[in-house]
Amino acid sequence: MLLKRMRFLTTSSTRTRRSASCCWSDPGVLIVSSQARHYVNQSAGKKFTEAVILNYVSMHEESTTRTPLVGFLSMGSDPTESIKSFAKKKKTECRDISMGQGQEVPSRRILTQSFQDGGWVLLQNCHLGLSFMDEVLETILTTENINPNFRLWVTTEPHPKFPINFLQNSIKFTNEPPQGIKAGLSRTYNNTTQEQLDISSAHQWKPILYSLAFLHTTVQERRKFGPLGWNIPYEFNQSDLNASLTFVQTHLDDMDQAGSVLGVCAVHDSGGAIRGESY
């Protein structure tokens, strides 16, 4: 154990200190990260280094009508689609709105409506509406009659001026992208519903779904190398994968029933666009 610790500390100390602007493409950062993961794995066990799949069911059971659930956004990981999918499983309407200038009025309206009918409210990108967060907290804490099925979900980037009272009264979670191909595929298939698996009767559907999941995981792993290979940095999040799956499924449904050959290629572009070709 002492030898492992000395090896890790030696590796760390030989790396020069990096500035705040460094990226994962820096070989020194990659080496230290790999050594740190190896040291924790050998010292404490695999469960401390393997990716943890976020459990929305347990979070929902822990929450109340007056306890917001705050998700911190990270590069390549947006919980919006997962929250909407979970609401669909619960057969609950999820009303979402992206915060920004002038969005306070519609936000108040959907909050009031959801208080009454027990729907969920998803306020996205709340770091763009910090001044409104105190009002939201006061509203859910002081409103007397709230449907017990109501829940408030919030997504935000980490921000030093995010109201501390809001965070203290909420359940906080983050959904960082998993490290490694195996963990990435596990996360993707955990977010895949039986309805998505059975949405197309074409025999090509499930193999293509796996191929897209593998492609998605691969490009997410590529982000650690910074801008190398891309025109601009891009998140490649769950929304991109869902868009590609919809694109492929649409082409499979339109495929000639006589059995003509159809080649489908869904390509993630740095900007979210998807190109398709059939031949």
Side-chain angles (χ1 to χ4, degrees):
M1 180 64 67
L2 179 61
L3 180 60
K4 295 176 184 176
R5 185 176 303 173
M6 291 178 62
R7 183 182 302 140
F8 169 64
L9 293 176
T10 302
T11 304
S12 302
S13 63
T14 55
R15 304 292 106 193
T16 58
R17 292 189 177 275
R18 309 294 177 181
S19 65
S21 60
C22 72
C23 67
W24 284 103
S25 59
D26 192 318
V29 176
L30 288 173
I31 292 175
V32 173
S33 174
S34 175
Q35 288 295 325
R37 182 176 295 273
H38 179 74
Y39 172 70
V40 173
N41 186 22
Q42 294 295 321
S43 303
K46 284 187 176 181
K47 67 178 182 178
F48 293 99
T49 57
E50 292 181 346
V52 177
I53 297 177
L54 197 59
N55 191 332
Y56 288 93
V57 175
S58 62
M59 282 198 303
H60 177 264
E61 292 174 348
E62 184 181 350
S63 66
T64 67
T65 57
R66 304 185 190 276
T67 307
L69 298 102
V70 180
F72 291 101
L73 301 174
S74 58
M75 177 66 75
S77 180
D78 185 352
T80 299
E81 293 297 327
S82 298
I83 295 172
K84 291 181 178 179
S85 177
F86 181 49
K88 188 176 181 180
K89 290 180 181 178
K90 301 285 289 186
K91 297 181 180 179
T92 301
E93 183 176 1
C94 182
R95 304 179 177 96
D96 62 298
I97 187 169
S98 184
M99 298 305 299
Q101 187 175 5
Q103 295 295 74
E104 291 82 1
V105 174
S107 298
R108 295 188 189 102
R109 183 172 61 251
I110 64 174
L111 278 170
T112 302
Q113 184 178 357
S114 299
F115 285 162
Q116 298 173 356
D117 61 19
W120 291 359
V121 174
L122 172 58
L123 301 180
Q124 305 176 60
N125 301 320
C126 288
H127 55 282
L128 302 178
L130 295 177
S131 59
F132 183 57
M133 291 297 98
D134 286 328
E135 178 184 334
V136 172
L137 180 62
E138 182 179 0
T139 301
I140 65 175
L141 292 179
T142 58
T143 301
E144 294 184 0
N145 298 319
I146 300 181
N147 190 301
N149 293 324
F150 167 79
R151 291 296 186 274
L152 173 63
W153 299 80
V154 169
T155 65
T156 178
E157 291 182 1
H159 196 288
K161 293 185 179 181
F162 196 94
I164 187 65
N165 290 336
F166 197 103
L167 295 176
Q168 290 175 340
N169 286 277
S170 65
I171 296 174
K172 296 157 288 286
F173 67 94
T174 186
N175 194 25
E176 294 184 354
Q179 300 293 321
I181 299 295
K182 178 181 178 181
L185 285 174
S186 297
R187 168 76 63 84
T188 299
Y189 272 98
N190 184 71
N191 293 330
T192 302
T193 64
Q194 188 64 40
E195 181 182 356
Q196 287 178 303
L197 290 174
D198 300 334
I199 198 171
S200 176
S201 58
H203 69 275
Q204 301 97 329
W205 169 242
K206 291 182 180 178
I208 292 178
L209 190 150
Y210 170 79
S211 299
L212 281 176
F214 190 87
L215 170 65
H216 179 71
T217 302
T218 302
V219 294
Q220 282 199 319
E221 282 293 298
R222 284 282 307 171
R223 288 174 314 174
K224 67 178 65 175
F225 299 105
L228 293 178
W230 311 111
N231 293 329
I232 60 173
Y234 191 68
E235 293 185 6
F236 296 106
N237 55 34
Q238 186 68 28
S239 298
D240 297 296
L241 176 60
N242 291 340
S244 293
L245 291 174
T246 301
F247 172 83
V248 173
Q249 186 248 321
T250 301
H251 275 264
L252 286 177
D253 290 343
D254 295 338
M255 188 170 63
D256 186 1
Q257 297 299 319
S260 62
V261 178
L262 174 67
V264 178
C265 178
V267 180
H268 288 285
D269 282 336
S270 56
I274 300 175
R275 293 194 302 266
E277 294 181 0
S278 59
Y279 55 89

